[in-house]
Amino acid sequence: MFDPEDLDADLSVTGHVVTSQREFPRGEVRVRDGRVLAVRGTPSDAPAAERVDAGGAYVLPGVVDPHVHCLSHAGEGIEAATRSAAAGGVTTLLEMPFDEAGPVWSVDAFRDKRAAVLREAHVDVGMYATVEPGGQGIAEIPKLAAEGAACFKLSTFQTDPRRFPRTPDGEMLDAFAEIARTGLRVCVHAENDEIVQRNLARLRASGASGPLQHGLSRPPVAETAAVAAVLEFARASGVHLHFCHVSTPHAVDLVQWHRRTGTSVTTEVCPHYLTLTEQDMVRGGARLKYNPPLRTPAETDGLWHRLRSGALDMVASDHAPWPLALKQRDHVLDNASGGPGVETLLPLVAGAALHERRMTPRELVRCLSTRAAHAFGLGDRKGDLRPGLDGDLVILDPDAEWTVDGSRLRSHAGWSPFDGMRIRGRVRCTVSRGEVIWDGDSVRSAAGRGRFLAPAPFPAPPEEDG
Ligand SMILES: [Zn+2]
């Protein structure tokens, strides 16, 4: 009888295959015409044009990073950020709308950036849009959805009046109602503006300038108060909500209460909140300045518990490729917030999750690939290894150790918040739609091979058993 799994494959990868549901210690993934043809529990001798044997290393779905800023600093750009993604096993990323050149809140700006993605990207890219506050922004929402926006991002905090403005509460509620009509998700940067601004003014007046002042300006309540308010807006409007870069376990618990009572909401955490604490700022200084800030070891542990249980859905890099010059100013508050991270996301999180935090490989796959793909309408193509999905996969050697040196990563930032950190877990190979784009030494893809990804209507997420 004809079995489609026996068709000639373009690529066969054997190794310890992990999907969101299954694990095959000696399995095989077969790819044909850019898509997964078969996932087998044992290797076959069916024909394949190219074979890769990963030995005992993991063969995982390509990582879906839902939070990347390719253009918050123009010195990076889509080419360098997506090259860095390829080397880090990230085969899909969602690009943020707050660019140095201005926010992506008009159809023209969206089309310009989409054209740049098609010219420059090494991996596949979905795009966020944002909503201009105080003007005609809400009227643009259906037009941007029709252009293929994956999500809209808004902020309760005024990071920058031009590049990254705050949306006031009343307008945010109206925007949520309009986004709900599109069926898309809205993502919120949740920090209470009044609390933080008052603390910042007090700290400036005090003359204190050391790195720990940053965390004092943004205590946990600045995050949780904003999360609580935004959850109520989502509940009232019926929009699908997502919180980016959650830094406190209590924020996740508030989300869980809302989920149990019917609010549609997902959350992401970032590698820096999982592997660094505020005490690391004593040594690392403003390089480790993030919004929200690094927290205590107890909060880090609480985030890991919630990630393992699935209360926290996914991990995102929040790749913000500032040059070091913007991270070394004397007064901590004068420095840019964030840092590069798309290339270290998978090895850093996998190393800690598998070796220290006792997560299973399947749990890792769900929080690094599957749930993000589903939350942003890409689950019909991305986020898992299953026949018919795109042939995106990554070989991760879970035991290979290396030391992070940001000057050797592919981002133009030239440094890493994790510089000097010893990591157990190395990306040996990245495959995007059947093409080897990273071979463990160099990026083999050409800029412009990446595709723009528009979201599909949300299917029900898969059952997660075991
Ligand atoms: Zn961000």
Side-chain angles (χ1 to χ4, degrees):
M1 204 181 89
F2 171 73
D3 183 348
E5 293 196 3
D6 292 331
L7 282 172
D8 288 16
D10 300 320
L11 175 69
S12 155
V13 181
T14 48
H16 188 146
V17 175
V18 185
T19 77
S20 70
Q21 306 293 334
R22 305 287 299 274
E23 208 174 318
F24 304 111
R26 187 67 191 156
E28 179 189 15
V29 182
R30 297 172 60 76
V31 181
R32 178 188 165 103
D33 298 331
R35 292 190 176 178
V36 176
L37 184 64
V39 179
R40 289 177 183 266
T42 50
S44 69
D45 51 14
E50 185 178 1
R51 289 184 184 275
V52 176
D53 187 347
Y58 288 120
V59 179
L60 311 172
V63 171
V64 179
D65 185 346
H67 191 155
V68 172
H69 301 262
C70 294
L71 292 158
S72 56
H73 186 267
E76 178 82 334
I78 291 163
E79 198 278 328
T82 57
R83 185 154 33 95
S84 199
V90 174
T91 50
T92 301
L93 61 84
L94 291 176
E95 162 60 6
M96 285 291 163
F98 304 110
D99 298 343
E100 188 172 10
V104 178
W105 55 35
S106 68
V107 167
D108 282 350
F110 194 91
R111 287 180 178 169
D112 285 351
K113 192 166 184 178
R114 189 174 57 200
V117 164
L118 294 173
R119 267 194 321 270
E120 297 181 32
H122 290 265
V123 301
D124 294 346
V125 176
M127 282 171 49
Y128 279 72
T130 183
V131 181
E132 182 175 17
Q136 296 303 305
I138 292 174
E140 296 298 305
I141 289 170
K143 299 178 209 165
L144 288 160
E147 291 294 318
C151 184
F152 290 88
K153 182 166 174 188
L154 301 173
S155 180
T156 60
F157 179 76
Q158 179 104 324
T159 301
D160 181 293
R162 190 187 63 90
R163 184 182 68 84
F164 197 168
R166 171 195 189 187
T167 300
D169 287 354
E171 196 172 355
M172 186 170 281
L173 187 56
D174 286 349
F176 277 20
E178 189 62 38
I179 296 166
R181 278 190 272 279
T182 68
L184 296 173
R185 197 169 289 273
V186 65
C187 166
V188 176
H189 174 129
E191 290 186 290
N192 180 293
D193 201 75
E194 279 103 1
I195 294 172
V196 175
Q197 300 299 354
R198 186 173 170 85
N199 286 337
L200 288 175
R202 193 155 44 204
L203 282 168
R204 289 273 185 196
S206 77
S209 65
L212 295 181
Q213 301 300 316
H214 175 59
L216 295 175
S217 72
R218 310 171 104 94
V221 66
E223 173 172 279
T224 56
V227 163
V230 171
L231 281 166
E232 290 299 319
F233 302 160
R235 180 188 173 93
S237 63
V239 78
H240 299 290
L241 173 64
H242 177 73
F243 286 109
C244 49
H245 52 53
V246 167
S247 70
T248 58
H250 183 52
V252 181
D253 296 343
L254 293 169
V255 166
Q256 285 299 89
W257 187 89
H258 265 268
R259 272 178 166 170
R260 283 196 294 273
T261 57
T263 310
S264 170
V265 50
T266 52
T267 47
E268 79 185 29
V269 66
C270 305
H272 34 280
Y273 303 118
L274 295 171
T275 62
L276 300 169
T277 70
E278 60 185 3
Q279 283 306 312
D280 290 303
M281 285 194 79
V282 174
R283 178 185 48 81
R287 285 176 172 227
L288 305 185
K289 176 178 185 255
Y290 289 95
N291 294 345
L294 300 177
R295 303 291 184 190
T296 64
E299 280 161 317
T300 298
D301 288 346
L303 292 171
W304 274 110
H305 283 302
R306 286 156 182 78
L307 189 62
R308 207 164 50 201
S309 74
L312 246 171
D313 296 278
M314 62 191 87
V315 191
S317 70
D318 197 0
H319 180 77
W322 304 115
L324 212 40
L326 298 180
K327 298 289 283 179
Q328 291 179 317
R329 294 174 176 144
D330 290 342
H331 196 305
V332 67
L333 299 179
D334 292 339
N335 290 279
S337 295
V342 70
E343 193 167 336
T344 44
L345 168 67
L346 169 61
L348 201 57
V349 174
L354 299 172
H355 298 299
E356 295 161 30
R357 300 287 178 167
R358 297 204 196 136
M359 279 174 70
T360 67
R362 272 178 299 167
E363 287 166 347
L364 186 73
V365 163
R366 291 170 187 169
C367 74
L368 282 172
S369 302
T370 316
R371 296 202 196 105
H374 278 279
F376 298 100
L378 305 174
D380 60 331
R381 287 153 281 170
K382 303 294 187 185
D384 212 343
L385 295 174
R386 208 170 59 234
L389 298 189
D390 285 355
D392 294 354
L393 50 94
V394 51
I395 297 174
L396 179 86
D397 181 341
D399 293 313
E401 290 196 45
W402 59 292
T403 301
V404 179
D405 174 357
S407 70
R408 301 186 62 189
L409 301 177
R410 273 133 285 268
S411 165
H412 285 159
W415 66 283
S416 167
F418 311 102
D419 271 329
M421 194 180 275
R422 201 78 189 133
I423 293 186
R424 198 167 158 203
R426 183 146 208 170
V427 179
R428 296 288 189 208
C429 178
T430 307
V431 174
S432 166
R433 287 180 274 103
E435 182 188 348
V436 175
I437 58 171
W438 164 252
D439 62 13
D441 287 312
S442 53
V443 173
R444 288 177 22 181
S445 51
R449 69 163 295 284
R451 288 185 183 161
F452 168 77
L453 300 171
F458 297 155
E463 291 289 319
E464 293 182 356
D465 31 68

